[in-house]
Amino acid sequence: MKEKRTLMLPGPTPIPEHARQAGAQKIIGHREKECEDLLREVTEGLKYVFQTENDVLALTCSGTGGLEASIANTLSKGDKVLVLCTGAFGERYATIAERYGIDVERMNFPWGEAVDVTRVEKRLEEDTTDEIKAILMTHNETSTGVINHPQPLGELAEQYNCLLLVDAVSSLGGIELKTDEWGVDVVVTSSQKALMTPPGLCLVSVSPKALKAGEDSDLPKFYWSFKRAKDRYDRDTQTPSTPALSTLYVLREVLAEIREEGLENVFRRHKVVAKAIRQAVQALGLDVLVKDEKIASKTVTAIKLPTEIEFTILRQRLKDEHNVYVTGSKGKLKGDYFRIGHLGNVSRTDVLATISALELVLQKEGLEVELGTGLQAAQKVFLEEERR
Amino acid sequence: MKEKRTLMLPGPTPIPEHARQAGAQKIIGHREKECEDLLREVTEGLKYVFQTENDVLALTCSGTGGLEASIANTLSKGDKVLVLCTGAFGERYATIAERYGIDVERMNFPWGEAVDVTRVEKRLEEDTTDEIKAILMTHNETSTGVINHPQPLGELAEQYNCLLLVDAVSSLGGIELKTDEWGVDVVVTSSQKALMTPPGLCLVSVSPKALKAGEDSDLPKFYWSFKRAKDRYDRDTQTPSTPALSTLYVLREVLAEIREEGLENVFRRHKVVAKAIRQAVQALGLDVLVKDEKIASKTVTAIKLPTEIEFTILRQRLKDEHNVYVTGSKGKLKGDYFRIGHLGNVSRTDVLATISALELVLQKEGLEVELGTGLQAAQKVFLEEERR
């Protein structure tokens, strides 16, 4: 019997069994009442996870499409924006904006570190003519495993009268994001991350301020026009184009499960799993990229590759011998780090399977690893959590 | 026991049981070999259905997104295009182009009629400065149930050196479309129509001529850049963003089924079903919008509502009493016609269920309908087909 698959990628993530089977339900017409009920339930569930009263739109595309939509819907050609880049996904957000003729100012931070809010504040202070229309940021930088806290940036956006657009693709539903309380105008996430649903849906919350800004937007869009989606939903609880129905079936189940577990418990579970992974790999003598626990991601961890082993070999052995899937790194970290994703439908068992496999492969590759050291460190985190 | 559902919409369409269940398979990493194999199999299967050696790209969006992509990738701001409008979807194609700042010239044809090629030819002859960069057309106009034959337009596009972009959303896989032989540069279809797959994927074939034209395109795009998708597929058989994996699982199965049935047989089946529907409703004394068999769609039929019954009542009774789903009409036909979709996973049984339900409801609504008349007409078409 083949070992059970342990998918530890920063997306796509495993789907809970019950929800996965729901995706195989027979198809319904997208202009029928059954579909309106489906979309309403999903939207209400999303509002709970987004912690928002804003409109939440379900677009049929991946997260990248949603990031593009966040720009195309709120900005105009030549608008100046400040993009906070802490890794590859901050870079990507900037690149998309550039393709749309936006005047992009990148504020770069070292990979592995978080946004330094004082630098942002200083820059906004200097912007005496209110040239900067929006701040674009990555909540959880998937390439490095760093959390950038949106709250202080929401306050600055309010104070300096610009929009705050947040890429929350690998965070929403795994790491706290209080959309309304923190003043985030647009939050973009996708179905295949902490929302434990197949890829194909992008979920976007849009504040009244962002909708207002969008009224003057001159960038071309039709398919992912927020206005078109909002108007249609408000009118008859439908989407302008045929939505990814089967994916919505799954998402409805997942959202019900999240509500049942309770958002606080979901975040807590992610924290415990992340800590267990971090403690375990460090107990094995491996370095994590992000040392500071406060900014360390609860959904993905970048770990330094020991010099004795190449990533392709580590990946292949973990996969072939243990059916455990991890991923490599991007951009300037490529070849030096590997990443373990731990978001969505992750449990202690997944941590144990992953760490055990890692210990065995590293030892077989000739590294000095005492079997069980990482597992023990993980167990200690579990015990500590139980005693809380 | 509730009557079995008979979904006779022009999309989304029912999914074959085996394929539907395949969509509930466990998720895999989109950068893993398993996903590369999946994408390769799907792409090869699509090339068979598209009858093309061109690149076929799988975009995660609906058909509308693909239409937008066909414009954004091949044209530039201010380019002149000729849009052949025979109904609501031709109109939509024109509207999307306008949103992108394209100089749109609509050539309108009466709803219910097909494109008059001589008018197009005349217009292209007048275009002595080669101003017209592309012809945009709808292969199967879903709102009226008319087929516009792409072949003569492909010849004109060749002769007058412009691109031919074809909306084949409700035709591909149900009505013959010889992409290469007919010289179609871009063919756009989506998963939830004749391809019998859940909504969420848009499949696009792109000719070398269209790719070449796209090199100079100045319209903003990132998510659905053809170049980005093609380069990534050519490099490592992957997609730039996470694709709709579960939907690809289903599509792989469906494409295998289509290959097994054989494209010619698939088209033949659609013809027989379409003819049976047309003959049956006419035997009941109902009028079809498209009288000319040669241009009558093989995937959707628009039928005049008897004056004695309102569409909302017909729809509701068919649904509540027989679990049969039909749809209304759009634009200028709204309220006067209803439409039966008959594409993808449709069979004789579906025709019988639909016609029987229609007969019963019409009779109960007080119309003079002799039960069995429509059914008999359908049977005659089946018999004729068996004797071929």
Side-chain angles (χ1 to χ4, degrees), chain A residues 143-324:
Chain A
S143 64
T144 62
V146 158
I147 301 176
N148 296 303
H149 194 16
Q151 187 169 22
L153 295 152
E155 286 163 10
L156 290 177
E158 167 84 36
Q159 189 182 341
Y160 292 95
N161 193 32
C162 54
L163 296 172
L164 178 62
L165 313 184
V166 174
D167 168 355
V169 168
S170 64
S171 64
L172 197 107
I175 301 168
E176 179 103 78
L177 203 173
K178 296 184 174 180
T179 301
D180 291 359
E181 197 179 312
W182 296 349
V184 184
D185 293 298
V186 178
V187 174
V188 178
T189 197
S190 60
S191 51
Q192 81 279 14
K193 305 277 181 174
L195 294 180
M196 305 174 273
T197 295
L201 280 174
C202 180
L203 303 317
V204 187
S205 76
V206 191
S207 73
K209 186 174 155 192
L211 286 170
K212 181 98 185 104
E215 287 172 12
D216 304 323
S217 163
D218 65 4
L219 296 174
K221 65 241 163 207
F222 183 83
Y223 180 66
W224 43 46
S225 158
F226 288 167
K227 185 176 181 333
R228 202 165 148 259
K230 176 182 160 48
D231 288 354
R232 189 70 194 241
Y233 185 84
D234 289 348
R235 197 180 84 198
D236 50 19
T237 332
Q238 295 183 5
T239 51
S241 302
T242 323
L245 287 164
S246 302
T247 317
L248 287 169
Y249 288 148
V250 180
L251 185 54
R252 169 165 60 184
E253 299 303 318
V254 165
L255 290 168
E257 289 191 22
I258 289 177
R259 211 189 268 265
E260 201 186 313
E261 184 176 358
L263 213 42
E264 283 313 307
N265 295 324
V266 171
F267 296 146
R268 185 77 216 161
R269 178 166 52 77
H270 279 81
K271 275 184 190 163
V272 172
V273 165
K275 190 172 177 185
I277 295 272
R278 285 172 62 82
Q279 298 287 338
V281 296
Q282 290 180 102
L284 294 176
L286 302 180
D287 251 2
V288 291
L289 174 64
V290 182
K291 305 286 188 290
D292 181 355
E293 189 71 43
K294 283 199 303 295
I295 62 163
S297 170
K298 309 311 171 209
T299 60
V300 57
T301 301
I303 301 154
K304 190 137 178 49
L305 271 167
T307 45
E308 297 90 336
I309 184 167
E310 270 184 39
F311 172 65
T312 48
I313 295 186
L314 176 67
R315 178 200 202 190
Q316 205 60 42
R317 293 196 74 160
L318 285 172
K319 183 173 158 178
D320 293 347
E321 297 164 21
H322 303 278
N323 215 358
V324 168

Side-chain angles (χ1 to χ4, degrees), chain A residues 4-5 7 9 11-15 17 20-21 23-34 60-66 68 77 92 95-96 99-101 192-193 197-201 219-225 228 240-247 249 315 319 325-327 330, chain B residues 4-5 7 9 11-15 17 20-21 23-34 60-66 68 92 95-96 99-101 192-193 197-201 218-225 228 240-247 249 315 319 325-327 330:
Chain A
K4 282 192 281 184
R5 187 192 293 161
L7 202 64
L9 303 173
T13 66
I15 303 159
E17 179 65 21
R20 190 155 57 75
Q21 297 303 336
Q25 282 171 86
K26 287 191 180 175
I27 221 71
I28 51 175
H30 66 301
R31 302 293 179 220
E32 303 291 338
K33 190 182 170 298
E34 298 93 312
T60 295
C61 60
S62 88
T64 306
E68 188 162 335
K77 198 168 176 181
R92 164 168 290 192
T95 302
I96 300 172
R99 295 284 164 84
Y100 272 75
Q192 81 279 14
K193 305 277 181 174
T197 295
L201 280 174
L219 296 174
K221 65 241 163 207
F222 183 83
Y223 180 66
W224 43 46
S225 158
R228 202 165 148 259
S241 302
T242 323
L245 287 164
S246 302
T247 317
Y249 288 148
R315 178 200 202 190
K319 183 173 158 178
Y325 288 72
V326 301
T327 192
K330 284 171 168 282
Chain B
K4 282 192 281 182
R5 187 192 294 159
L7 201 65
L9 304 173
T13 65
I15 303 160
E17 178 66 20
R20 189 155 57 75
Q21 297 303 336
Q25 281 172 85
K26 287 191 179 174
I27 220 73
I28 51 175
H30 65 301
R31 302 295 177 217
E32 304 290 339
K33 189 181 169 303
E34 298 93 312
T60 296
C61 60
S62 88
T64 307
E68 186 162 338
R92 164 168 291 190
T95 302
I96 300 172
R99 295 284 163 84
Y100 273 76
Q192 82 279 12
K193 305 276 181 174
T197 296
L201 280 173
D218 64 4
L219 296 175
K221 66 242 164 207
F222 183 84
Y223 180 65
W224 44 44
S225 158
R228 202 165 147 257
S241 301
T242 322
L245 287 163
S246 302
T247 317
Y249 288 148
R315 177 199 203 190
K319 184 174 158 178
Y325 288 72
V326 301
T327 192
K330 284 170 168 281

Side-chain angles (χ1 to χ4, degrees), chain B residues 7-8 14 196 269-270 273 341-348 350:
Chain B
L7 201 65
M8 301 296 277
M196 306 173 273
R269 178 166 52 77
H270 278 81
V273 165
H342 34 84
L343 71 168
N345 185 17
V346 282
S347 68
R348 295 173 180 197
D350 296 314

